[in-house]
């Protein structure tokens, strides 16, 4: 009879099911980065002059920066000259076309990933933008959304069709000077999603982008920009997977959100990039800058993330609370197993009066996983009556993993209310034995305990995805009981 | 139903059970009493499959099978139930969800269909009424924020829903007030029938006034040193354990220190 410990270990070692590779002819440029590469990407996309200039400024700035070393993660130095900065499936280079023209291989790929792009097969009420390596290959339900004045398209298309909006908002939340990876992204980003919700419109369906890295040695640098005008509402979801490869691949995205008066954006992520093998070979380096700006009064930005993949995760979805009474939320589940490392959390910057923020972070470490919560709550001088509640819980499965917490709090206004709660627990033999003595298998016991632990976060996800996220957590934990 | 032969168990290198023999037939209620540290809880946990103990000798057969070979979940599926001395909290998992998953796992192992949500709700309502449980306990997370008494009552409630063949109750009475004790005992008595057996681990005669055992065993220093009927429990209540453990010394205590 194997012990609970042995069984917990078995459960953690589940294979990655999205590790296949699609054989499509790609239009890739040689690896390496210099000014000509930035110009080439811009030229391939036939971009307006302002954008090329912006990219070049970002590139020049990037050259002055060095890789941040403060995160609590450990990896060999990245060779930025060894990365391919642009790769597109052939014939898809100039942006998405109608679905009939999309390469059947690509449609098949997304189908295999559980994201059929044929509209009639899609989950009712979810519009998808599919990004494959460097470009968006399809966007569904565009016409239906268009009737409401909602723009949902690839970033490249937005640059062509809605360049005034891009010029106005690009870099307005995450300037290219923000950090090393944001500067790199600003110089070489190739595509992403754009969405604009006009005044007073409640988006009737979930908008989602599905990111797939396919080509070898390719970095994925996409940008997402969402603008919610006065009184509008939108819920947006992104998902991500990649083939299993022995080399590490870089994913450095930037997401910018803007809400005007009374507007709300709910942004959910289910991140399942390839995490690398048992020895930590391969896997995606996920270095992402996500930030929202509550520009208007009474506006709200809510981030929910379920991070189960990537060899390294470095991301801090943040909210800048400028408008009075605005609300920022961050709900996170980060699971690290095998040799995965995650350093993730949020920044809530309170500027406006009576601004509120709510942070709930659940970190789960199994195998040799290392999980760090890093958060900053900053209450500015003028942020009278600001409130923050932070809850930060860690769960350890087995005895080879680690959980770390770095909460920073800066308060410059004495009327602020701050609450911080933190806990660390171990899936104990007691809990396991209790569940098993009621007839549940070790695997079911772990997934039940973990999903109970994450419940507060999972319930923030749109219904269909909450089920998916729950399933993903238990699949990821198969083999990790201990 | 259950045959324990010469069971010897170590924990952290220390001998806890030193050759326990016990034979339990269907329909019987056996009570295990004994001073602190005599190995009562260890016996209960070993029977349910806790793996933190080292079994150094002996055998246990349950309905003709080698019980010690089975994983804890398989024992549960075959009808062994342990009411925990310290029920465990599982935050975020509702009591109903947990119990339904448990019942279905057991039914599945028996080749039965999963219970429908409606039937389950009916069953739960019936058993809750039996144990006079507050309805809110069923939607709350498993044991989280329950008082000591609520936790114990919840164990007996689970037992009533799962209807095991062999129910092992580890100090279910401790932490219960007199009224709760009566309700719990009533719950147990309702389950008593010719196909089911109980092993009731307790310190006190009090519980045995309500659940009258067929046999009372005294466990001391890892061995059963005396077996009798319910009269033995009353005698222990009056005289303590020392007259059994220290030969015939006439030290009389009012039972074990609380």
């Amino acid at each position: 009879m194997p012990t609970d410990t042995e069984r917990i270990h078995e459960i953690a070692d589940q294979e990655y099911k999205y590790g296949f590779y699609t054989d499509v002819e790609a239009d890739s440029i040689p690896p390496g980065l210099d000014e000509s590469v930035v110009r080439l990407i811009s030229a391939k996309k036939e971009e307006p002059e302002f954008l090329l200039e912006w990219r070049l400024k970002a590139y020049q700035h990037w050259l002055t920066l060095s890789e941040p070393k403060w995160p609590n993660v450990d990896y060999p130095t990245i060779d930025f000259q060894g990365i391919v900065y642009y790769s597109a499936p052939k014939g898809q280079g100039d942006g998405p076309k109608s679905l009939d023209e999309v390469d059947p291989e690509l449609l098949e790929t997304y189908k295999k990933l559980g994201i059929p792009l044929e509209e009639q097969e899609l989950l009712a009420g979810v519009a998808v933008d599919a990004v494959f390596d460097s470009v968006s290959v399809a966007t569904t339900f565009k016409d239906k959304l268009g009737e409401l004045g909602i723009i949902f398209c690839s970033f490249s298309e937005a640059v062509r069709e809605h360049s005034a909006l891009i010029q106005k908002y690009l870099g307005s939340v995450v300037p290219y000077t923000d950090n090393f990876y944001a500067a790199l992204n600003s110089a070489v980003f190739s595509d992403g999603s754009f969405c604009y919700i006009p005044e007073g419109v409640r988006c009737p369906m979930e908008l989602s982008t599905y990111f797939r890295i396919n080509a070898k040695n390719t970095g994925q640098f996409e940008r997402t920009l969402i603008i919610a005008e006065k009184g509008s509402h939108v819920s947006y979801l992104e998902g991500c997977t990649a083939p299993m490869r022995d080399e590490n691949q870089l994913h450095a995205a930037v997401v910018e959100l803007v809400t005007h008066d009374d507007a709300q954006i709910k942004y959910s992520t289910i991140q399942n990039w390839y995490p690398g093998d048992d020895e930590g070979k391969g896997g995606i380096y996920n270095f992402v800058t996500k930030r929202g700006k509550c520009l208007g009064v009474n506006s709200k930005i809510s981030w929910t993330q379920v991070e189960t993949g990537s060899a390294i995760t470095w991301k801090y979805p943040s909210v800048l609370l400028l408008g009075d009474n605005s609300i920022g939320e961050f709900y996170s589940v980060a699971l690290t197993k095998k040799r995965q490392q995650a350093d993730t959390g949020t920044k809530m910057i309170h500027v406006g009066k009576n601004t509120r923020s709510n942070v709930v972070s659940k970190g789960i470490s199994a195998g040799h996983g290392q999980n760090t919560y890093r958060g900053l709550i900053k209450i500015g001088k003028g942020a009278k009556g600001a409130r923050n509640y932070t809850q930060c819980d860690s769960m350890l499965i087995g005895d080879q993993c680690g959980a770390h917490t770095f909460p920073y709090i800066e308060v410059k206004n004495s009327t602020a209310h701050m609450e911080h709660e933190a806990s660390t627990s171990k899936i104990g033999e007691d809990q396991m034995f209790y569940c098993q003595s009621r007839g549940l298998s070790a695997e079911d016991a772990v997934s039940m305990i973990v999903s109970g632990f994450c419940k507060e976060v999972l319930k923030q996800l749109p219904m269909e995805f909450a089920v998916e996220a729950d399933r993903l957590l238990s699949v990821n934990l198969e083999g990790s009981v201990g | 139903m259950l045959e324990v032969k010469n069971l010897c168990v170590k924990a952290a290198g220390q001998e806890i059970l030193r050759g326990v023999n016990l034979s339990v037939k269907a329909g019987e209620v056996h009570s295990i009493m004994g001073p602190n540290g005599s190995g009562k809880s260890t016996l209960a946990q070993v029977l349910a499959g806790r793996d933190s103990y080292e079994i150094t000798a002996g055998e246990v057969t349950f309905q003709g099978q080698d019980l010690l070979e089975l994983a804890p979940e398989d024992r549960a599926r075959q009808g062994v139930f342990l009411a925990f001395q310290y029920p465990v909290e599982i935050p975020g998992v509702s009591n109903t969800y947990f119990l339904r998953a448990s019942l279905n796992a057991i039914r599945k192992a028996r080749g039965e269909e999963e219970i429908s949500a409606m039937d389950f709700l009916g069953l739960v309502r019936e058993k809750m009424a039996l144990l006079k449980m507050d309805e809110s306990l069923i939607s709350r997370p498993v044991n989280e924020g329950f008082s000591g008494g609520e936790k114990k009552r919840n164990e007996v409630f689970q037992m009533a829903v799962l209807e095991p063949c062999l129910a092992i109750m580890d100090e279910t009475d401790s932490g219960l007030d007199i009224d709760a004790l009566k309700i719990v005992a009533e719950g147990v008595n309702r389950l008593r029938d010719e196909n089911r057996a109980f092993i009731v681990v307790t310190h006190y005669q009090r519980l045995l006034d309500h659940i009258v055992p067929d046999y009372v065993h005294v466990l001391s220093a890892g061995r059963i040193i005396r077996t009798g009927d319910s009269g033995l429990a009353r005698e222990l209540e009056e005289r303590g354990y020392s007259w059994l453990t220290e030969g015939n010394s006439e030290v009389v205590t009012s039972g074990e220190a609380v």
Side-chain angles (χ1 to χ4, degrees):
Chain A
M1 189 173 92
T3 64
D4 277 349
T5 314
E6 286 161 359
R7 279 196 264 180
I8 289 174
H9 285 295
E10 280 164 27
I11 292 181
D13 300 327
Q14 163 79 16
E15 284 311 310
Y16 184 71
K17 5 186 315 215
Y18 307 100
F20 63 89
Y21 167 71
T22 309
D23 193 8
V24 285
E25 245 190 293
D27 167 18
S28 301
I29 61 174
L33 180 58
D34 59 19
E35 197 175 301
S36 72
V37 169
V38 178
R39 286 180 184 278
L40 182 67
I41 293 170
S42 186
K44 274 186 180 291
K45 314 215 126 249
E46 297 166 23
E47 287 175 352
E49 194 56 29
F50 83 87
L51 195 50
L52 173 61
E53 275 173 32
W54 192 75
R55 285 176 181 275
L56 291 172
K57 278 194 273 181
Y59 175 68
Q60 289 305 328
H61 185 73
W62 179 71
L63 291 176
T64 69
L65 302 173
S66 49
E67 251 180 281
K69 290 292 177 201
W70 50 264
N72 187 25
V73 295
D74 185 32
Y75 58 94
T77 308
I78 298 172
D79 175 12
F80 288 93
Q81 297 305 332
I83 294 171
V84 173
Y85 287 87
Y86 184 86
S87 174
K90 265 219 171 108
Q92 299 289 329
D94 35 354
K97 305 172 175 186
S98 84
L99 281 170
D100 322 338
E101 292 172 52
V102 175
D103 185 341
E105 272 294 322
L106 293 179
L107 291 180
E108 195 50 42
T109 299
Y110 281 91
K111 206 174 204 167
K112 241 165 123 176
L113 294 169
I115 317 285
L117 295 175
E118 290 87 352
E119 293 187 1
Q120 64 276 14
E121 287 184 29
L122 273 172
L123 283 171
V126 183
V128 178
D129 183 24
V131 176
F132 192 84
D133 289 333
S134 302
V135 294
S136 165
V137 292
T139 310
T140 61
F141 290 116
K142 266 163 88 168
D143 299 343
K144 199 173 165 194
L145 293 167
E147 288 165 20
L148 294 163
I150 295 169
I151 304 167
F152 179 45
C153 62
S154 72
F155 207 90
S156 307
E157 186 181 335
V159 169
R160 288 196 303 271
E161 312 285 327
H162 311 283
S163 83
L165 285 172
I166 297 291
Q167 199 161 1
K168 183 172 173 189
Y169 289 104
L170 178 72
S172 71
V173 187
V174 180
Y176 63 76
T177 50
D178 195 80
N179 68 68
F180 181 83
Y181 295 106
L184 177 63
N185 173 287
S186 302
V188 302
F189 76 90
S190 46
D191 214 332
S193 298
F194 174 76
C195 120
Y196 176 85
I197 317 292
E199 187 171 332
V201 172
R202 250 170 203 277
C203 186
M205 53 176 80
E206 298 284 335
L207 302 186
S208 82
T209 303
Y210 195 88
F211 295 100
R212 173 77 177 165
I213 296 178
N214 188 62
K216 202 172 174 175
N217 295 332
T218 303
Q220 190 176 55
F221 306 93
E222 83 281 358
R223 289 188 84 93
T224 301
L225 174 58
I226 303 178
I227 299 146
E229 288 287 5
K230 232 175 168 177
S232 66
H233 282 234
V234 64
S235 172
Y236 179 92
L237 184 123
E238 59 174 2
C240 352
T241 57
M244 284 158 68
R245 294 186 186 288
D246 286 349
E247 305 81 24
N248 296 105
Q249 282 180 286
L250 179 62
H251 173 256
V254 171
V255 176
E256 297 180 282
L257 312 180
V258 179
T259 49
H260 290 278
D261 292 355
D262 303 304
Q264 296 190 8
I265 298 176
K266 180 178 176 62
Y267 192 105
S268 314
T269 302
I270 296 183
Q271 186 264 104
N272 189 25
W273 294 119
Y274 177 54
D277 69 8
D278 292 352
E279 275 75 50
K281 200 168 181 191
I284 301 289
Y285 290 166
N286 190 34
F287 300 137
V288 174
T289 307
K290 290 181 168 178
R291 196 173 304 150
K293 185 149 96 178
C294 283
L295 202 55
V297 296
N298 307 320
S299 63
K300 178 175 171 184
I301 290 177
S302 179
W303 298 102
T304 304
Q305 60 173 27
V306 176
E307 304 282 323
T308 59
S310 295
I312 297 178
T313 296
W314 177 93
K315 62 180 278 201
Y316 313 91
S318 303
V319 185
L320 199 53
L321 296 152
L322 299 178
D324 290 348
N325 310 319
S326 58
I327 299 172
E329 294 176 337
F330 174 73
Y331 299 100
S332 169
V333 168
L335 168 69
T336 52
K337 60 175 197 299
K338 299 185 175 175
R339 303 272 169 179
Q340 283 177 284
Q341 307 172 62
D343 189 314
T344 184
T346 186
K347 288 188 278 186
M348 293 289 174
I349 314 294
H350 293 250
V351 178
K353 292 190 185 71
N354 301 315
T355 44
R356 281 178 288 153
S357 61
N358 199 19
V359 175
V360 178
S361 162
K362 305 277 182 177
I364 303 151
S365 318
H368 291 85
Q370 293 293 327
N371 211 318
T372 300
Y373 169 81
R374 188 185 300 276
L376 169 67
I377 310 297
K378 192 169 176 174
I379 312 287
K381 258 187 195 154
K384 214 177 139 195
R387 279 172 176 267
N388 165 262
Y389 172 74
T390 299
Q391 184 189 336
C392 187
D393 299 323
S394 308
M395 177 176 271
L396 302 171
I397 304 175
D399 50 10
Q400 308 285 315
C401 53
H404 317 268
T405 308
F406 301 99
Y408 300 89
I409 298 175
E410 276 178 49
V411 180
K412 297 220 168 74
N413 185 305
S414 60
T415 61
H417 285 257
M418 312 291 289
E419 286 177 70
H420 184 98
E421 287 180 28
S423 75
T424 303
S425 54
K426 200 166 177 231
I427 283 202
E429 293 204 345
D430 285 350
Q431 277 177 327
M432 288 295 294
F433 179 57
Y434 191 66
C435 294
Q436 287 174 269
S437 77
R438 296 299 180 257
L440 302 173
S441 66
E443 286 188 3
D444 289 345
V446 171
S447 57
M448 188 182 273
I449 294 165
V450 167
S451 86
F453 176 71
C454 300
K455 195 176 190 181
E456 276 167 279
V457 172
L458 299 181
K459 74 179 184 201
Q460 298 294 332
L461 289 171
M463 196 41 177
E464 307 84 320
F465 300 107
V467 175
E468 174 66 17
D470 203 16
R471 198 193 54 81
L472 192 61
L473 282 174
S474 54
V475 164
N476 267 291
L477 280 167
E478 273 175 38
S480 52
V481 194
Chain B
M1 175 183 283
L2 181 79
E3 290 291 337
V4 180
K5 279 186 198 147
N6 187 36
L7 184 63
C8 297
V9 172
K10 272 187 181 173
Q14 277 219 306
E15 278 193 303
I16 311 277
L17 299 182
R18 305 161 194 250
V20 171
N21 294 295
L22 183 65
S23 172
V24 178
K25 294 192 182 65
E28 294 176 350
V29 174
H30 289 244
S31 170
I32 310 248
M33 301 184 76
N36 286 327
S38 57
K40 303 188 295 293
S41 286
T42 300
L43 177 61
Q45 299 223 2
V46 166
L47 291 178
R50 181 97 198 199
D51 67 7
S52 41
Y53 298 99
E54 188 196 342
I55 292 157
T56 52
E59 55 187 70
V60 180
T61 51
F62 172 67
Q63 292 178 334
Q65 298 186 72
D66 182 353
L67 190 69
L68 301 178
E69 275 300 306
L70 297 177
E73 60 268 35
D74 293 324
R75 301 184 195 195
R77 291 167 188 173
Q78 310 262 351
V80 176
F81 180 92
L82 173 64
F84 280 56
Q85 182 180 7
Y86 304 108
V88 179
E89 298 182 2
I90 309 175
V93 177
S94 89
N95 223 359
T96 359
Y97 180 79
F98 177 72
L99 191 52
R100 190 166 165 218
S102 168
L103 182 61
N104 281 333
I106 292 168
R107 289 172 71 110
K108 214 173 132 193
R110 288 190 200 138
E112 293 169 21
E113 296 234 333
E114 293 201 346
I115 191 167
S116 75
M118 283 309 287
D119 290 349
F120 180 70
L121 197 66
L123 179 66
V124 158
R125 288 245 161 86
E126 179 200 325
K127 304 295 183 185
M128 285 185 80
L130 175 66
L131 288 155
K132 298 194 172 62
M133 274 177 69
D134 187 323
E135 285 238 4
S136 74
L137 291 184
I138 202 65
S139 51
R140 276 163 50 189
V142 179
N143 292 321
E144 200 184 35
F146 286 30
S147 71
E150 283 169 340
K151 284 183 182 173
K152 293 299 182 69
R153 212 184 288 197
N154 196 33
E155 292 292 289
V156 180
F157 164 63
Q158 290 180 8
M159 184 170 94
V161 171
L162 299 177
E163 300 188 322
C165 310
L166 174 65
I168 304 160
M169 302 175 67
D170 190 4
E171 296 195 28
T172 302
D173 51 337
S174 57
L176 288 181
D177 61 38
I178 308 276
D179 294 336
L181 185 80
K182 281 186 188 155
I183 293 164
V184 163
E186 167 67 13
V188 172
N189 288 331
R190 291 271 198 105
L191 280 173
R192 280 179 83 158
D193 68 26
E194 68 275 19
N195 300 316
R196 195 167 281 135
F198 290 83
I199 296 175
V200 180
V201 172
T202 182
H203 275 302
Y204 309 114
Q205 151 69 21
R206 200 176 64 159
L207 178 67
L208 305 181
D209 286 340
H210 302 285
I211 306 171
V212 181
D214 301 301
Y215 298 94
V216 173
H217 309 277
V218 177
L219 190 66
S220 175
R223 277 193 199 95
I224 289 177
I225 54 167
R226 178 73 64 111
T227 294
D229 59 13
S230 58
L232 177 60
R234 278 191 291 276
E235 196 172 355
L236 289 169
E237 184 77 13
E238 281 165 25
R239 302 180 63 189
Y241 294 111
S242 40
W243 61 281
L244 286 171
T245 53
E246 294 168 14
N248 285 322
S249 91
E250 281 299 317
V251 182
V252 176
T253 67
S254 59
E256 195 171 328
V258 177

